[in-house]
Amino acid sequence: MPLTVDLLEPLRRGEHRALGRAISWMENGHAGARNLMAQVWPHLGRAMVIGITGSPGAGKSTLTDQLARALRAEGQKVGILAVDPTSPFSGGAILGDRIRMQRIAADPGIFIRSMATRGALGGLARATQDAIDLLDAAGFDTVIVETVGVGQDEVDVVSCVQTCCVVLVPGMGDEIQAIKAGIMEVADLFIINKADREGADQVERELEAMKSLAMPEGWDPPVLRTVAQVGTGVAELLAQIREHGRWLRAHGGLARKARERARLRFESLLAEAAVRRAKAHVSPERLDSLIQGIADHALDPYTAVGGLLGEV
């Protein structure tokens, strides 16, 4: 496909315009998207991928901004994927993270892409994993994925990053938020941001107490303090991210994460393909009748799906 060839070389050179276009292809299901990914797939696996997650208002965007600055000072190329929630009514998204990172947006060594979840669960856009791979293919050394900040639904971030940082802030009940299912398990690092506020000591005590109850095997997530607004603690955070990367390499963690990511991507694409095929082979009227039957309690959803798969 000539269009794919025309896009591939500038993408491999790291040209921002080509990269933005390629990500749009993935988001919109462009005809050349699958062929493009097949072309870049053998060249992937070099980028360090960091996840930044946590509750709204914790300062994730400011922390991402500071991390990107620190990495750029070392000469690295940095890609940032900022995932924002989609309105269930309009389908639109605010995409405000780019606004909050204006100070670094003009840096040619930094690529920022705001992505809407488009209804995807887990705090991640459907095409986020494809975008990570495209940034990797474009020669970016580090990719930072900042998720929407919706609490427990964020656990899917762990499937596509190497180091997951959970950001908490004093005075917002975040020590309770961290207890909730999934959040404690996904953290490779705990970050108490805005640590100059009253209550930082309490958050740290709560985290350490929860860690002792969890009895982690292998890597023990450290608790770090930052004040992202002024850059305090960012150097220490970056050092711990690298320490976690070394631990993963020494204990086979990178291979385990790669396999888990591959499994989740395969199952996700398989599910999407099954839905597309069902819609292509079954009339809209038949689909509507099944949905109405479920709504009227005349048909249970499991029987409806089983019957539809049989028809396809």
Side-chain angles (χ1 to χ4, degrees), residues 78-158:
V78 183
I80 298 172
L81 300 174
V83 187
D84 283 281
T86 302
S87 166
F89 304 106
S90 68
I94 296 174
L95 304 178
D97 293 299
R98 182 185 292 271
I99 298 171
R100 290 190 287 270
M101 298 181 203
Q102 280 183 340
R103 293 181 300 174
I104 59 172
D107 187 333
I110 294 178
F111 178 89
I112 304 174
R113 177 73 174 220
S114 294
M115 304 180 75
T117 56
R118 302 191 180 192
L121 297 176
L124 290 173
R126 180 185 59 80
T128 300
Q129 298 210 42
D130 288 329
I132 291 171
D133 289 332
L134 291 172
L135 284 163
D136 190 358
F140 284 78
D141 304 291
T142 299
V143 179
I144 303 174
V145 182
E146 182 203 329
T147 62
V148 288
V150 291
Q152 288 159 276
D153 285 338
E154 307 234 355
V155 296
D156 280 1
V157 71
V158 78

Side-chain angles (χ1 to χ4, degrees), residues 255-296:
R256 287 193 300 273
K257 283 177 175 281
R259 181 173 175 81
E260 178 63 10
R261 184 185 177 209
R263 183 185 68 80
L264 289 169
R265 292 192 79 185
F266 175 76
E267 291 178 354
S268 174
L269 289 171
L270 186 63
E272 286 187 24
V275 170
R276 284 197 302 270
R277 178 162 294 189
K279 289 182 176 180
H281 287 78
V282 179
S283 69
E285 293 76 17
R286 171 62 173 149
L287 289 174
D288 286 341
S289 69
L290 289 172
I291 292 169
Q292 191 60 51
I294 295 169
D296 293 339

Side-chain angles (χ1 to χ4, degrees), residues 172-246:
M172 294 180 64
D174 276 358
E175 64 275 13
I176 304 301
Q177 181 77 357
I179 299 174
K180 295 182 178 179
I183 293 294
M184 191 73 187
E185 286 78 5
V186 304
D188 297 307
L189 302 172
F190 286 109
I191 303 167
I192 303 173
N193 192 32
K194 306 181 184 179
D196 53 344
R197 289 185 178 181
E198 185 179 351
D201 291 340
Q202 180 185 349
V203 175
E204 183 167 359
R205 284 194 299 270
E206 295 284 350
L207 284 172
E208 293 293 352
M210 286 185 289
K211 283 170 55 181
S212 66
L213 291 173
M215 293 181 294
E217 297 180 5
W219 175 258
D220 183 16
V223 179
L224 306 172
R225 295 193 186 198
T226 61
V227 183
Q229 194 67 40
V230 294
T232 302
V234 173
E236 293 78 3
L237 170 58
L238 191 52
Q240 280 294 332
I241 289 172
R242 286 174 170 150
E243 179 62 30
H244 180 247
R246 285 190 289 270

